[in-house]
Amino acid sequence: MGTMSPGGWVHCGRAFSAEEIAGIRATEAWLPGLARRELAATLCEHLHWYTVTGTPKVHACRQFLERLQAAGLVALPALQIPRRPGPAPLAPVTEVLAEAPIQGPLAALGPVHLEIVRAEAAAVAQWNAAVARWHPLGFKGAFGYRLRYFITAGEQRLGCVLLAGAARALAVR
């Protein structure tokens, strides 16, 4: 394998120390037959590299591993092309949002805040169903890294917000 350059490595806003690179190399050497995705998931756990919602940053880690391979620091297994039958159907909704429109001033509802939707299946299904029902274009699922929020006032849900990385690639509309 190659030697590491004296400068640090930075990927997706995270700086990697020489010790972390050595740990990545040791893990890759210890698990030589592991698929790239599994290796990236394992490294995310070892490096504590997670998104705000607590999911491992597997895609970013795979990209970083490919950079390390291009530099000659790791040897990744050959790419495996998965066979996918198509997108999975959205999970059924367990809770229906209120139908009645809200009347009155916003101040009467109480403080409005954003409630992050964690990776629990029920909360994600509720968010997906709300957007699919109320968005004029519908909703077939989000891709890439993303953050979902419910807009709430007290115990009442007022709406949904999605922040996704794909929006960074779009020009100003």
Side-chain angles (χ1 to χ4, degrees), residues 20-99:
E20 288 175 320
I21 300 295
I24 291 170
R25 294 178 71 184
T27 302
E28 180 268 327
W30 180 53
L31 303 167
L34 205 57
R36 290 180 182 208
R37 180 171 179 77
E38 288 300 318
L39 178 62
T42 302
L43 289 171
C44 285
E45 289 178 26
H46 291 178
L47 298 169
H48 305 288
W49 200 8
Y50 300 103
T51 65
V52 174
T53 60
T55 57
K57 294 184 89 171
V58 176
H59 181 70
C61 189
R62 284 183 66 180
Q63 288 178 333
F64 185 57
L65 285 171
E66 290 168 3
R67 284 183 59 203
L68 292 175
Q69 182 179 28
L73 296 174
V74 296
L76 298 177
L79 283 174
Q80 299 173 357
I81 300 175
R83 290 185 292 161
R84 296 184 184 170
L90 296 175
V93 180
T94 56
E95 176 187 333
V96 177
L97 296 177
E99 294 285 330

